[in-house]
């Protein structure tokens, strides 16, 4: 079928330009190639489409019909492709987004109403989960994840890198005291994330023999959790101390529901937050719109 469409294009161009030579120039073909294509069409149809002379090309009645219908077919194909392209360019359709619970609740969810108002043709399916997401297998367009990314098969855009701080509720500190230096934490109840051993060690910057160095302190406590939001809630309830990213606890610090401790020993590490998406080009407009919207509205 593709070959016949090309043949129709050649025939239409011959008629429009008035000669095989002019059509050949316009299509970047040789005159003999154009002549062979027209001959192939006539052989397949079993009738002549044009009467040729050295100076003039005259269409038969069948040739006039073939020209009119062929030109309409090419016009319809052009209209079809233009319509598909314009439709794809519209920022609409179903957008499936997965986000880890803390960042989704505290940073992304407040932006959803504004995003949907800006792009009313988008239907958003928004999932909050701390489990690992398989973009292709789960049919996810965009995922937002914290931490260092290791999968090289995906595309990613970092949108923020948030400082981490050790915090506790005023009630906990009133009852158990405020730790003055990192090793004091060994006498405190420290809440940790159980799905990664690295969260059981909290880094601090200390001086040893007058030289700045990092201390990775193995903290302990009676409660280990599988997600950051639960960690925050138990810290708010006064169960123990926690080390959380500032994006997660910013409002709690402002209102005094949580208090930061040991800030002078903070090593200055930051938790990266990235938008990840499957490697596809060009990127669907709805995906590009969401990524750009988050990047504009989430401030480090």
């Amino acid at each position: 079928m593709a070959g016949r469409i090309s043949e129709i294009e050649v025939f239409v161009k011959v008629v429009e330009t008035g000669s095989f030579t002019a059509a050949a120039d316009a299509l970047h073909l040789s005159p003999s190639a154009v002549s062979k294509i027209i001959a192939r069409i006539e052989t397949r149809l079993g009738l002549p489409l044009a009467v040729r002379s050295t100076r003039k090309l005259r269409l038969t009645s069948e040739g006039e019909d073939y020209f009119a219908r062929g030109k309409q077919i090419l016009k319809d194909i052009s209209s079809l492709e233009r319509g598909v392209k314009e439709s794809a360019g519209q920022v609409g359709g179903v957008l499936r987004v997965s986000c880890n619970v803390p960042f989704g609740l505290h940073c992304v969810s407040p932006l959803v109403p504004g995003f949907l108002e800006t792009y009313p043709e988008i239907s958003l399916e928004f999932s909050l989960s701390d489990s690992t997401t398989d973009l292709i297998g789960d049919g996810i367009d965009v995922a937002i994840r914290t931490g260092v990314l290791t999968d090289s098969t995906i595309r990613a855009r970092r949108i923020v890198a948030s400082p981490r701080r050790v915090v506790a509720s005023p009630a906990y500190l009133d009852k158990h005291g405020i730790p003055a230096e990192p090793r004091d934490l060994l006498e405190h109840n420290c809440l940790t994330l159980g799905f990664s051993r690295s969260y059981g060690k909290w880094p601090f910057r200390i001086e040893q023999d007058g030289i700045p160095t990092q201390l990775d302190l193995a903290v302990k406590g009676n409660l280990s959790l599988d997600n950051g939001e639960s960690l925050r809630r138990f810290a708010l309830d006064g169960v123990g101390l926690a080390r959380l990213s500032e994006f997660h606890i910013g409002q709690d610090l402002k209102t005094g529901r949580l208090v930061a401790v040991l800030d002078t020993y903070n090593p200055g590490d930051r938790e990266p937050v990235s938008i990840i998406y499957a490697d596809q080009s060009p990127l669907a407009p709805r995906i590009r719109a969401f990524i750009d919207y988050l990047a504009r509205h989430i401030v480090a």
Side-chain angles (χ1 to χ4, degrees):
M1 181 60 71
R4 293 191 180 184
I5 296 299
S6 298
E7 290 177 350
I8 292 172
E9 287 179 319
V10 171
F11 181 79
V12 168
K13 185 61 68 175
V14 166
V15 176
E16 289 177 338
T17 59
S19 75
F20 285 19
T21 301
D25 289 341
L27 297 171
H28 304 291
L29 297 171
S30 67
S32 63
V34 171
S35 180
K36 289 177 181 178
I37 290 172
I38 301 304
R40 187 160 60 241
I41 297 173
E42 292 176 325
T43 299
R44 186 169 61 248
L45 294 176
L47 46 85
L49 297 178
V51 178
R52 307 144 180 73
S53 69
T54 55
R55 295 187 178 182
K56 194 178 287 187
L57 182 75
R58 180 177 63 83
L59 295 180
T60 63
S61 60
E62 292 85 3
E64 290 176 351
D65 186 36
Y66 192 89
F67 170 70
R69 294 192 184 193
K71 191 172 183 179
Q72 184 60 50
I73 288 171
L74 296 178
K75 183 179 179 181
D76 290 344
I77 291 174
S78 178
S79 177
L80 169 65
E81 293 182 345
R82 184 171 60 254
V84 170
K85 186 175 181 180
E86 290 174 353
S87 175
Q90 294 177 354
V91 184
V94 177
L95 177 66
R96 297 178 178 87
V97 176
S98 173
C99 185
N100 70 318
V101 176
F103 197 80
L105 284 176
H106 296 275
C107 298
V108 180
S109 292
L111 299 177
V112 167
F115 174 75
L116 293 177
E117 184 176 356
T118 303
Y119 301 103
E121 298 303 315
I122 287 181
S123 177
L124 180 64
E125 294 182 3
F126 187 37
S127 171
L128 294 179
S129 173
D130 284 329
S131 61
T132 302
T133 299
D134 177 359
L135 292 178
I136 304 301
D138 296 336
I140 301 298
D141 294 310
V142 179
I144 304 163
R145 289 293 179 261
T146 57
V148 177
L149 302 176
T150 57
D151 189 348
S152 61
T153 65
I154 60 173
R155 297 174 66 183
R157 178 173 175 178
R158 182 175 294 188
I159 52 175
V160 69
S162 183
R164 292 185 176 101
R165 301 176 79 178
V166 178
V167 297
S169 70
Y172 177 88
L173 296 175
D174 286 344
K175 184 175 181 180
H176 300 281
I178 301 173
E181 60 99 11
R183 289 185 177 85
D184 290 346
L185 292 176
L186 299 177
E187 305 300 323
H188 283 267
N189 194 39
C190 297
L191 310 179
T192 59
L193 289 171
F195 55 75
S196 174
R197 293 183 180 180
S198 63
Y199 284 99
K201 289 187 177 181
W202 292 358
F204 296 96
R205 182 171 295 161
I206 63 171
E207 282 197 7
Q208 189 169 348
D209 299 326
I211 301 174
T213 186
Q214 179 166 306
L215 168 67
D216 291 322
L217 188 68
V219 296
K220 296 180 180 180
N222 61 7
L223 182 61
S224 181
L225 300 144
D226 67 354
N227 69 86
E229 182 59 18
S230 294
L231 198 68
R232 168 183 168 267
R233 291 184 180 277
F234 280 110
L236 287 168
D237 289 340
V239 176
L241 294 112
R243 190 169 188 267
L244 296 166
S245 293
E246 202 160 278
F247 75 75
H248 195 178
I249 54 172
Q251 284 300 116
D252 298 325
L253 293 172
K254 287 180 181 179
T255 59
R257 292 192 297 265
L258 289 175
V259 177
V261 300
L262 301 172
D263 269 355
T264 55
Y265 297 94
N266 195 309
D269 63 320
R270 291 172 173 263
E271 182 171 29
V273 182
S274 303
I275 302 173
I276 62 174
Y277 48 101
D279 190 2
Q280 52 180 296
S281 182
L283 202 58
R286 67 185 184 280
I287 298 176
R288 172 60 61 195
F290 184 77
I291 292 172
D292 290 345
Y293 192 89
L294 257 61
R296 287 196 307 270
H297 290 83
I298 294 177
V299 181

